Amino acid sequence: MSGGGLTISLIPHSGKPPRQMEFSGTRLLLLRVGAGLTILIVLGAILIIVLGVAGSIGSRPLADRIEALEDSLEEARGMEARLDSIEAELGEIRLVRERLENISELAGP
């Protein structure tokens, strides 16, 4: 029995003769490298899926915070619009006041 190789036996159910594949030397090395790469790719894919699921679970508080900040921004914009309209009204009031003061100065004491 030789210790430097690998033999794979395939026995079909259909009654065909069994087949054997022998791997040794370079072919065995390539088979091992291919199997190792396949395992690494599968483990990497599983890791990406697990981290993706964990990341989406962990991002929920951030999404809630973003939503709260967006609501706060909406309120601030509404308040800014109201302040702008108040400022415009105050400008008109100042203008009317100046006109009244000018009229009262012309009328005298």
Side-chain angles (χ1 to χ4, degrees):
M1 180 159 142
S2 169
L6 173 72
T7 303
I8 297 177
S9 296
L10 299 174
I11 304 171
H13 290 283
S14 63
K16 293 181 181 177
R19 292 178 24 190
Q20 289 188 343
M21 293 184 279
E22 294 184 17
F23 296 95
S24 62
T26 305
R27 288 181 66 195
L28 182 59
L29 178 65
L30 290 174
L31 180 66
R32 287 180 179 172
V33 169
L37 286 174
T38 302
I39 290 171
L40 283 176
I41 289 171
V42 169
L43 289 176
I46 290 171
L47 183 65
I48 288 171
I49 291 170
V50 168
L51 290 178
V53 169
S56 67
I57 291 171
S59 67
R60 187 67 216 155
L62 292 176
D64 292 341
R65 179 71 176 140
I66 288 171
E67 187 176 328
L69 288 172
E70 286 174 346
D71 291 343
S72 176
L73 181 62
E74 281 289 321
E75 290 176 17
R77 285 182 178 160
M79 197 177 307
E80 183 180 2
R82 285 183 297 212
L83 286 174
D84 287 343
S85 68
I86 290 172
E87 188 176 327
E89 285 184 39
L90 282 176
E92 291 176 17
I93 291 172
R94 281 190 198 111
L95 185 62
V96 169
R97 181 180 174 198
E98 287 175 8
R99 288 181 184 165
L100 287 174
E101 285 177 355
N102 288 338
I103 292 174
S104 68
E105 286 176 4
L106 291 175

